[in-house]
Amino acid sequence: MMPLDDRDAPLLTLLRVGRIFAPAPLEATDLLIADGRIAALGRDLAVPEGWPVRLVEARDLTAVPAFIDQHVHVTGGGGEGGCGTRCPAITAREIAAMGIGTVVGVLGTDGISRSPADLLAKVRGLKAEGIAAYMYTGSYRVPPPTLTGDVQRDLAWIPEVIGLGELAISDHRSSQPRQDEIARLVSEARVGGMLAGKRGICHFHVGDGQRGIEPLRRLLAETEIPAEQVIPTHVNRHRALLEEAADYALAFAASVDVTAFDDPGEEGLSGFDAVSRLLVRGVPVTRITMSSDCNGSLPEFDTQGNYIGMRVARNTALIADWQRLVREEVLPLDQALGLISGHVARVLGLHDHKGRLAVGHDADVTLLDGDLQPQQTFVAGKRIYARDVPP
């Protein structure tokens, strides 16, 4: 067998690890990868003599599904304080170093100097570097900026577009959309997704306004839209909103997305605290996901809504909060993995090929050490990050 060489990888890759969580723990300790997909799982797997195979010996590491971050400002967010406050774009290495193999790019407040075309170019650039990357069309505002001039056409004709977002509600930076406008846009995303064979979700930024998640409660109560079409995020920005999110998830069997804030401040909750609280409230773990909001802005405003400062979000808090959930035994590893892999894949409509280590699925694999720190990340069978290899 040939040694690991990422510059000219053969068709086959054989990973030999200490344990495999797929997310359930398996007896298997070997993963055979062929043409970017998992071909076999077992013990002491053998490859016919003379076949070109890349061997990865990692007996001290645990293989898990590569993580999925459904809310990343890949081109950078910000801009609330003028052009000098635009956040930087993220790099492929920054993504993969956290064990993340798949990202969904979003636009935020700034849909003017940042555009869906700019976002698509960055997404395709990340794909060229080995990351599995997708995007939402639109931004905070209504009507949303699009690539083709129409939400349905974006979903139908652009492979990377898997939904609409992040649409802002209950926020002074939003377009203050009417209830009928929200319903129409979610419907367009749903139909566009159906035409393309995608989920066509609508990803909602929820601000700290008094209306909270009420527009989404009304949407599901007053229309035929299924709960799986809408995903509220940032639901842990303050305690009352999190309680409302728990009620919403329980009432409609809906999913909610917790943001792993770098610094949740006095009013907000960390990703760890938010997930813990949702579980206490009885929300099924399968209805909870976590995302980073990384490279987005964390602006500060006074009581009049005037900009007073900003920080840039990073994705390190996502992994740290997730690790803490396992270390403090809030969730066992197999259940915790769903928060940043399997449940996310289901929400996004990618569950037929991502979010699990199973034969036929994409060979997106993260290797964790005993402290749950990502050491290597593989996407479609190609190693795109190794901690001991410099960039």
Side-chain angles (χ1 to χ4, degrees):
M1 294 184 180
M2 298 187 302
L4 179 66
D5 186 347
D6 296 304
R7 294 168 297 178
D8 187 22
L11 183 65
L12 299 178
T13 299
L14 181 59
L15 303 185
R16 298 195 188 278
V17 298
R19 295 203 67 185
I20 298 175
F21 282 77
L26 304 182
E27 291 296 323
T29 54
D30 294 355
L31 298 93
L32 181 63
I33 299 168
D35 197 24
R37 294 183 180 271
I38 297 174
L41 293 158
R43 282 183 174 270
D44 302 317
L45 294 178
V47 175
E49 187 68 29
W51 284 33
V53 58
R54 177 179 61 172
L55 177 63
V56 180
E57 287 284 0
R59 300 288 189 178
D60 57 336
L61 301 179
T62 297
V64 301
F67 306 146
I68 304 171
D69 192 347
Q70 66 176 307
H71 190 114
V72 182
H73 293 271
V74 294
T75 57
E80 290 94 340
C83 293
T85 61
R86 288 171 20 120
C87 299
I90 196 169
T91 67
R93 185 174 179 84
E94 288 173 319
I95 294 168
M98 292 297 106
I100 297 166
T102 301
V103 296
V104 184
V106 302
L107 294 179
T109 310
D110 184 3
I112 302 300
S113 69
R114 314 278 195 187
S115 71
D118 182 33
L119 182 58
L120 177 60
K122 177 64 175 179
V123 162
R124 289 183 174 175
L126 290 172
K127 289 172 65 177
E129 295 183 80
I131 301 294
Y134 302 89
M135 63 176 281
Y136 304 118
T137 191
S139 69
Y140 271 24
R141 62 191 174 98
V142 175
T146 63
L147 289 155
T148 65
D150 182 83
V151 169
Q152 289 191 27
R153 283 198 292 266
D154 278 13
L155 276 155
W157 304 132
I158 311 298
E160 293 84 356
V161 175
I162 60 172
L164 174 65
E166 59 176 308
L167 288 178
I169 59 173
S170 303
D171 194 301
H172 66 92
R173 294 167 292 173
S174 79
S175 297
Q176 311 304 320
R178 300 187 311 270
Q179 193 67 34
D180 64 311
E181 291 179 305
I182 292 173
R184 179 179 58 80
L185 287 170
V186 175
S187 299
E188 288 192 7
R190 174 172 171 77
V191 174
M194 293 171 66
L195 295 175
K198 303 172 183 176
R199 176 62 55 79
I201 66 165
C202 210
H203 193 77
F204 281 93
H205 162 108
V206 183
D208 57 6
Q210 293 183 351
R211 287 176 295 169
I213 300 178
E214 181 59 24
L216 302 187
R217 293 184 66 95
R218 286 189 57 188
L219 174 75
L220 299 185
E222 298 173 4
T223 74
E224 296 74 34
I225 297 294
E228 66 182 12
Q229 294 301 137
V230 294
I231 305 299
T233 190
H234 314 325
V235 298
N236 51 317
R237 65 169 65 251
H238 59 75
R239 286 166 174 77
L241 180 60
L242 187 72
E243 295 300 321
E244 187 182 352
D247 292 339
Y248 165 85
L250 292 169
F252 296 100
S255 295
V256 294
D257 186 54
V258 166
T259 301
F261 294 115
D262 284 334
D263 178 8
E266 295 182 3
E267 298 296 324
L269 293 91
S270 69
F272 169 83
D273 290 330
V275 171
S276 300
R277 177 58 184 165
L278 288 171
L279 293 172
V280 168
R281 283 292 314 276
V283 178
V285 66
T286 54
R287 293 295 173 184
I288 307 171
T289 60
M290 299 175 70
S291 61
S292 71
D293 198 19
C294 70
N295 286 65
S297 63
L298 299 173
E300 297 180 25
F301 301 94
D302 63 21
T303 57
Q304 303 302 312
N306 298 309
Y307 171 85
I308 58 176
M310 187 193 76
R311 293 176 293 108
V312 178
R314 298 298 180 191
N315 60 9
T316 51
L318 175 63
I319 306 307
D321 280 339
W322 175 80
Q323 291 168 338
R324 189 179 169 194
L325 288 165
V326 179
R327 291 170 180 164
E328 299 193 17
E329 300 183 348
V330 175
L331 287 168
L333 178 58
D334 57 338
Q335 292 186 34
L337 284 168
L339 298 169
I340 53 175
S341 59
H343 307 338
V344 189
R346 188 199 73 244
V347 162
L348 299 176
L350 304 176
H351 54 290
D352 63 341
H353 61 287
K354 292 189 181 295
R356 290 193 300 135
L357 300 182
V359 173
H361 273 53
D362 291 352
D364 297 352
V365 185
T366 292
L367 302 184
L368 302 175
D369 65 17
D371 292 324
L372 303 178
Q373 293 290 346
Q375 297 297 317
Q376 299 184 41
T377 306
F378 294 78
V379 177
K382 180 179 180 182
R383 190 180 73 165
I384 59 173
Y385 171 79
R387 185 173 292 274
D388 57 355
V389 176

